[in-house]
Amino acid sequence: MEYTILNGRMINRPSALVDIEDRGYQFGDGVYEVIRVYNGKMFAAKEHMERFVKSSDSIGIKLPYTLEHITNMLKDLIERNSLRLGIIYMQITRGTAPRNHAFPTHDVTPCLTAYTSEYPIPKTNLTAGVKTILTEDIRWLRCDIKSLNLLGNVLAKQKAEENDCYEAIQHRGEEVTEGSSSNVFIVKNGTVVTHESNHLILKGITKEVILRVCIENNIHAEERTFSIDELKEADEVFLSSTTSEVTPIVVIDGKNVGDGKPGPVTKKIQDLFRKEIEKQCGKL
Ligand code: PDD
């Protein structure tokens, strides 16, 4: 039996049914998190929980449970599903109400759901690197909210797939923002650069860990906007996310990044990131 969480209850996945008028289903009116699980333990759980509250607060959804309670439910879910290596997907919507764009006027209980999936470490991508394409960022102006509305991201990722690429790197005009489901970093003359965390990108948990380990290990890192030209002329480029960890980017729009192989700074950051995982979740 595979367990899922539906509104505080732990139930068998096929029984976890949500109404057609759930606002997440109709309007994408909700927010989510994806949390990595290594050795049966959540990585950066506190940071994910804090971002979950921040996202839900910013769209006026009040979490029906304390963060401590949600964290304990997720731990229970991992245990019941005997998950060792994978992810937890968790989302909250504004709940079910007769369809109307404005928020429901009566008290509607938000709908919290979570489930687990097995998800291996993407070893081939981590060692060989991945191909990417550039695409115009057509998303809204609150990309800092981890919203269920992902159409812009979905279309970008589909374009990548159709071009035999792993990820689409989005840009607004000349400015590079982020991947369709990842943050993007460049390395030039030993300096690591990534977009500042503002309304144009998601403040990735992996990004924050990377910036911290860079500081702790005397790798110079800057958060600032960078251009498509800087991206194309970078010595190294990599992306980061909960599922992709620190993945080297070796091709952009059909052209090699540097010599077309993962670079030394990226590899160093991969090692440091691995150490962070092992600190929290034990030896991999
Ligand atoms: N995506 N930017 C976007 C648009 C993302 O969707 C994600 C994560 C990130 C990286 O964030 P983090 O390091 O906290 O995972 C950046 C998740 C994994 C997803 O939607 O599946």
Side-chain angles (χ1 to χ4, degrees):
M1 163 153 159
E2 187 189 335
Y3 287 94
T4 58
I5 294 170
L6 175 63
N7 288 326
R9 287 185 307 130
M10 198 68 77
I11 58 175
N12 192 8
R13 181 159 172 174
S15 323
L17 301 176
V18 175
D19 194 275
I20 306 171
E21 284 193 310
D22 180 276
R23 292 179 61 93
Y25 186 53
Q26 290 196 320
F27 298 109
D29 188 0
V31 296
Y32 76 105
E33 277 298 324
V34 179
I35 307 168
R36 241 314 181 179
V37 174
Y38 300 100
N39 292 327
K41 294 199 181 88
M42 283 184 272
F43 177 67
K46 186 167 171 280
E47 290 81 352
H48 282 283
M49 291 299 157
E50 283 169 4
R51 188 172 64 185
F52 193 51
V53 190
K54 210 166 155 245
S55 291
S56 52
D57 273 357
S58 60
I59 62 164
I61 292 180
K62 199 174 164 323
L63 295 183
Y65 311 101
T66 62
L67 281 192
E68 198 190 348
H69 185 68
I70 297 175
T71 309
N72 286 335
M73 283 197 292
L74 296 183
K75 283 184 186 161
D76 191 19
L77 184 67
I78 293 171
E79 209 174 299
R80 286 187 197 227
N81 286 341
S82 310
L83 182 71
R84 300 297 301 162
L85 181 63
I87 54 158
I88 295 178
Y89 177 89
M90 165 169 71
Q91 74 170 41
I92 189 155
T93 73
R94 206 178 301 280
T96 294
R99 186 174 183 277
N100 176 10
H101 286 62
F103 296 178
T105 46
H106 58 288
D107 263 354
V108 169
T109 315
C111 180
L112 180 79
T113 48
Y115 66 90
T116 60
S117 289
E118 289 187 4
Y119 198 103
I121 292 170
K123 285 191 183 133
T124 312
N125 286 351
L126 294 180
T127 17
V130 296
K131 294 197 280 178
T132 61
I133 48 157
L134 281 162
T135 192
E136 184 68 37
D137 193 337
I138 60 164
R139 301 172 302 160
W140 71 332
L141 296 174
R142 288 303 307 274
C143 297
D144 54 315
I145 300 172
K146 205 159 167 58
S147 153
L148 297 180
N149 283 280
L150 289 173
L151 260 187
N153 311 60
V154 166
L155 295 177
K157 186 74 98 190
Q158 182 59 22
K159 186 175 165 192
E161 287 257 347
E162 285 167 8
N163 286 277
D164 192 28
C165 286
Y166 179 75
E167 179 63 302
I169 301 177
Q170 302 173 103
H171 57 91
R172 289 191 190 264
E174 284 308 302
E175 280 183 15
V176 176
T177 51
E178 62 177 342
S180 72
S181 61
S182 60
N183 293 114
V184 175
F185 293 71
I186 58 172
V187 182
K188 188 73 184 175
N189 301 326
T191 295
V192 176
V193 182
T194 189
H195 197 288
E196 65 270 38
S197 292
N198 61 15
H199 62 291
L200 297 178
I201 67 158
L202 182 75
K203 185 173 179 171
I205 306 296
T206 320
K207 172 185 191 253
E208 292 301 300
V209 174
I210 292 168
L211 290 172
R212 177 167 56 75
V213 297
C214 281
I215 293 169
E216 289 169 1
N217 292 277
N218 297 318
I219 300 171
H220 186 237
E222 289 174 4
E223 280 187 280
R224 63 165 175 83
T225 323
F226 58 92
S227 66
I228 294 178
D229 285 346
E230 281 182 275
L231 175 76
K232 288 184 171 165
E233 283 156 22
D235 302 326
E236 302 175 36
V237 182
F238 63 90
L239 61 83
S240 74
S241 83
T242 294
T243 43
S244 303
E245 304 182 350
V246 179
T247 296
I249 293 177
V250 290
V251 172
I252 301 169
D253 274 354
K255 295 210 177 67
N256 278 353
V257 173
D259 61 2
K261 296 199 186 87
V265 179
T266 307
K267 284 189 195 159
K268 171 87 186 153
I269 292 172
Q270 285 183 323
D271 286 346
L272 294 170
F273 187 70
R274 182 54 34 112
K275 285 197 184 117
E276 283 300 306
I277 297 172
E278 293 190 342
K279 253 193 235 166
Q280 286 186 34
C281 306
K283 195 114 190 87
L284 292 176

